PDB file of all heavy atoms in Angstrom:
ATOM      1  N   SER A  13      15.446  26.190   9.517  1.00 97.00           N
ATOM      2  CA  SER A  13      16.191  24.924   9.397  1.00 97.00           C
ATOM      3  C   SER A  13      16.823  24.744   8.016  1.00 97.00           C
ATOM      4  O   SER A  13      17.289  23.659   7.693  1.00 97.00           O
ATOM      5  CB  SER A  13      15.272  23.746   9.706  1.00 97.00           C
ATOM      6  OG  SER A  13      14.204  23.698   8.778  1.00 97.00           O
ATOM      7  N   LEU A  14      16.863  25.798   7.206  1.00 97.00           N
ATOM      8  CA  LEU A  14      17.358  25.673   5.836  1.00 97.00           C
ATOM      9  C   LEU A  14      18.797  25.183   5.782  1.00 97.00           C
ATOM     10  O   LEU A  14      19.120  24.306   4.971  1.00 97.00           O
ATOM     11  CB  LEU A  14      17.215  27.004   5.088  1.00 97.00           C
ATOM     12  CG  LEU A  14      17.609  26.996   3.609  1.00 97.00           C
ATOM     13  CD1 LEU A  14      16.810  25.947   2.830  1.00 97.00           C
ATOM     14  CD2 LEU A  14      17.422  28.386   3.006  1.00 97.00           C
ATOM     15  N   ASP A  15      19.674  25.700   6.614  1.00 97.00           N
ATOM     16  CA  ASP A  15      21.071  25.247   6.591  1.00 97.00           C
ATOM     17  C   ASP A  15      21.187  23.768   6.955  1.00 97.00           C
ATOM     18  O   ASP A  15      21.938  23.020   6.322  1.00 97.00           O
ATOM     19  CB  ASP A  15      21.938  26.086   7.534  1.00 97.00           C
ATOM     20  CG  ASP A  15      22.182  27.483   6.995  1.00 97.00           C
ATOM     21  OD1 ASP A  15      22.073  27.689   5.767  1.00 97.00           O
ATOM     22  OD2 ASP A  15      22.477  28.384   7.812  1.00 97.00           O
ATOM     23  N   ARG A  16      20.431  23.332   7.967  1.00 98.00           N
ATOM     24  CA  ARG A  16      20.445  21.914   8.350  1.00 98.00           C
ATOM     25  C   ARG A  16      19.895  21.051   7.216  1.00 98.00           C
ATOM     26  O   ARG A  16      20.374  19.955   6.951  1.00 98.00           O
ATOM     27  CB  ARG A  16      19.644  21.688   9.630  1.00 98.00           C
ATOM     28  CG  ARG A  16      20.373  22.192  10.865  1.00 98.00           C
ATOM     29  CD  ARG A  16      19.517  22.094  12.079  1.00 98.00           C
ATOM     30  NE  ARG A  16      18.591  23.237  12.009  1.00 98.00           N
ATOM     31  CZ  ARG A  16      17.627  23.466  12.864  1.00 98.00           C
ATOM     32  NH1 ARG A  16      17.410  22.639  13.849  1.00 98.00           N
ATOM     33  NH2 ARG A  16      16.857  24.521  12.736  1.00 98.00           N
ATOM     34  N   ARG A  17      18.862  21.550   6.537  1.00 98.00           N
ATOM     35  CA  ARG A  17      18.275  20.837   5.400  1.00 98.00           C
ATOM     36  C   ARG A  17      19.317  20.652   4.303  1.00 98.00           C
ATOM     37  O   ARG A  17      19.466  19.563   3.748  1.00 98.00           O
ATOM     38  CB  ARG A  17      17.060  21.613   4.875  1.00 98.00           C
ATOM     39  CG  ARG A  17      16.410  20.997   3.657  1.00 98.00           C
ATOM     40  CD  ARG A  17      15.242  21.853   3.183  1.00 98.00           C
ATOM     41  NE  ARG A  17      13.989  21.453   3.806  1.00 98.00           N
ATOM     42  CZ  ARG A  17      13.196  20.515   3.315  1.00 98.00           C
ATOM     43  NH1 ARG A  17      13.518  19.860   2.220  1.00 98.00           N
ATOM     44  NH2 ARG A  17      12.068  20.214   3.926  1.00 98.00           N
ATOM     45  N   ARG A  18      20.028  21.719   3.991  1.00 97.00           N
ATOM     46  CA  ARG A  18      21.055  21.650   2.942  1.00 97.00           C
ATOM     47  C   ARG A  18      22.138  20.636   3.291  1.00 97.00           C
ATOM     48  O   ARG A  18      22.597  19.893   2.429  1.00 97.00           O
ATOM     49  CB  ARG A  18      21.670  23.029   2.721  1.00 97.00           C
ATOM     50  CG  ARG A  18      20.753  23.980   1.998  1.00 97.00           C
ATOM     51  CD  ARG A  18      21.410  25.328   1.814  1.00 97.00           C
ATOM     52  NE  ARG A  18      20.548  26.234   1.075  1.00 97.00           N
ATOM     53  CZ  ARG A  18      20.523  27.544   1.267  1.00 97.00           C
ATOM     54  NH1 ARG A  18      21.309  28.109   2.160  1.00 97.00           N
ATOM     55  NH2 ARG A  18      19.708  28.295   0.549  1.00 97.00           N
ATOM     56  N   GLN A  19      22.558  20.610   4.540  1.00 98.00           N
ATOM     57  CA  GLN A  19      23.615  19.690   4.960  1.00 98.00           C
ATOM     58  C   GLN A  19      23.173  18.234   4.896  1.00 98.00           C
ATOM     59  O   GLN A  19      23.953  17.353   4.525  1.00 98.00           O
ATOM     60  CB  GLN A  19      24.093  20.028   6.372  1.00 98.00           C
ATOM     61  CG  GLN A  19      24.865  21.324   6.434  1.00 98.00           C
ATOM     62  CD  GLN A  19      25.234  21.700   7.853  1.00 98.00           C
ATOM     63  OE1 GLN A  19      24.684  21.174   8.833  1.00 98.00           O
ATOM     64  NE2 GLN A  19      26.171  22.624   7.993  1.00 98.00           N
ATOM     65  N   ALA A  20      21.938  17.954   5.259  1.00 98.00           N
ATOM     66  CA  ALA A  20      21.444  16.572   5.311  1.00 98.00           C
ATOM     67  C   ALA A  20      20.875  16.100   3.970  1.00 98.00           C
ATOM     68  O   ALA A  20      20.576  14.911   3.810  1.00 98.00           O
ATOM     69  CB  ALA A  20      20.380  16.440   6.397  1.00 98.00           C
ATOM     70  N   ARG A  21      20.735  16.997   3.006  1.00 98.00           N
ATOM     71  CA  ARG A  21      20.062  16.670   1.742  1.00 98.00           C
ATOM     72  C   ARG A  21      20.681  15.489   0.986  1.00 98.00           C
ATOM     73  O   ARG A  21      19.941  14.623   0.508  1.00 98.00           O
ATOM     74  CB  ARG A  21      20.003  17.910   0.842  1.00 98.00           C
ATOM     75  CG  ARG A  21      19.150  17.700  -0.385  1.00 98.00           C
ATOM     76  CD  ARG A  21      18.910  19.028  -1.104  1.00 98.00           C
ATOM     77  NE  ARG A  21      17.890  18.871  -2.122  1.00 98.00           N
ATOM     78  CZ  ARG A  21      18.144  18.748  -3.413  1.00 98.00           C
ATOM     79  NH1 ARG A  21      19.385  18.778  -3.853  1.00 98.00           N
ATOM     80  NH2 ARG A  21      17.150  18.599  -4.268  1.00 98.00           N
ATOM     81  N   PRO A  22      21.997  15.396   0.838  1.00 98.00           N
ATOM     82  CA  PRO A  22      22.544  14.249   0.090  1.00 98.00           C
ATOM     83  C   PRO A  22      22.117  12.893   0.677  1.00 98.00           C
ATOM     84  O   PRO A  22      21.731  11.988  -0.070  1.00 98.00           O
ATOM     85  CB  PRO A  22      24.060  14.446   0.167  1.00 98.00           C
ATOM     86  CG  PRO A  22      24.227  15.933   0.328  1.00 98.00           C
ATOM     87  CD  PRO A  22      23.059  16.356   1.200  1.00 98.00           C
ATOM     88  N   ASP A  23      22.153  12.759   1.993  1.00 98.00           N
ATOM     89  CA  ASP A  23      21.741  11.496   2.617  1.00 98.00           C
ATOM     90  C   ASP A  23      20.242  11.268   2.464  1.00 98.00           C
ATOM     91  O   ASP A  23      19.789  10.142   2.230  1.00 98.00           O
ATOM     92  CB  ASP A  23      22.115  11.477   4.101  1.00 98.00           C
ATOM     93  CG  ASP A  23      23.615  11.406   4.311  1.00 98.00           C
ATOM     94  OD1 ASP A  23      24.331  10.912   3.408  1.00 98.00           O
ATOM     95  OD2 ASP A  23      24.080  11.854   5.374  1.00 98.00           O
ATOM     96  N   HIS A  24      19.463  12.330   2.583  1.00 98.00           N
ATOM     97  CA  HIS A  24      18.012  12.247   2.394  1.00 98.00           C
ATOM     98  C   HIS A  24      17.703  11.764   0.971  1.00 98.00           C
ATOM     99  O   HIS A  24      16.885  10.859   0.779  1.00 98.00           O
ATOM    100  CB  HIS A  24      17.416  13.632   2.660  1.00 98.00           C
ATOM    101  CG  HIS A  24      15.970  13.773   2.327  1.00 98.00           C
ATOM    102  ND1 HIS A  24      14.958  13.296   3.131  1.00 98.00           N
ATOM    103  CD2 HIS A  24      15.364  14.364   1.269  1.00 98.00           C
ATOM    104  CE1 HIS A  24      13.784  13.583   2.583  1.00 98.00           C
ATOM    105  NE2 HIS A  24      13.997  14.226   1.451  1.00 98.00           N
ATOM    106  N   LEU A  25      18.363  12.349  -0.012  1.00 98.00           N
ATOM    107  CA  LEU A  25      18.118  11.968  -1.408  1.00 98.00           C
ATOM    108  C   LEU A  25      18.552  10.541  -1.707  1.00 98.00           C
ATOM    109  O   LEU A  25      17.917   9.849  -2.510  1.00 98.00           O
ATOM    110  CB  LEU A  25      18.818  12.944  -2.356  1.00 98.00           C
ATOM    111  CG  LEU A  25      18.242  14.359  -2.390  1.00 98.00           C
ATOM    112  CD1 LEU A  25      19.056  15.234  -3.341  1.00 98.00           C
ATOM    113  CD2 LEU A  25      16.774  14.361  -2.787  1.00 98.00           C
TER     114      LEU A  25
END
Side-chain angles (χ1 to χ4, degrees):
S13 62
L14 184 57
D15 288 337
R16 286 174 282 176
R17 177 182 270 272
R18 287 180 178 148
Q19 290 175 344
R21 188 169 191 259
D23 291 335
H24 172 78
L25 291 178

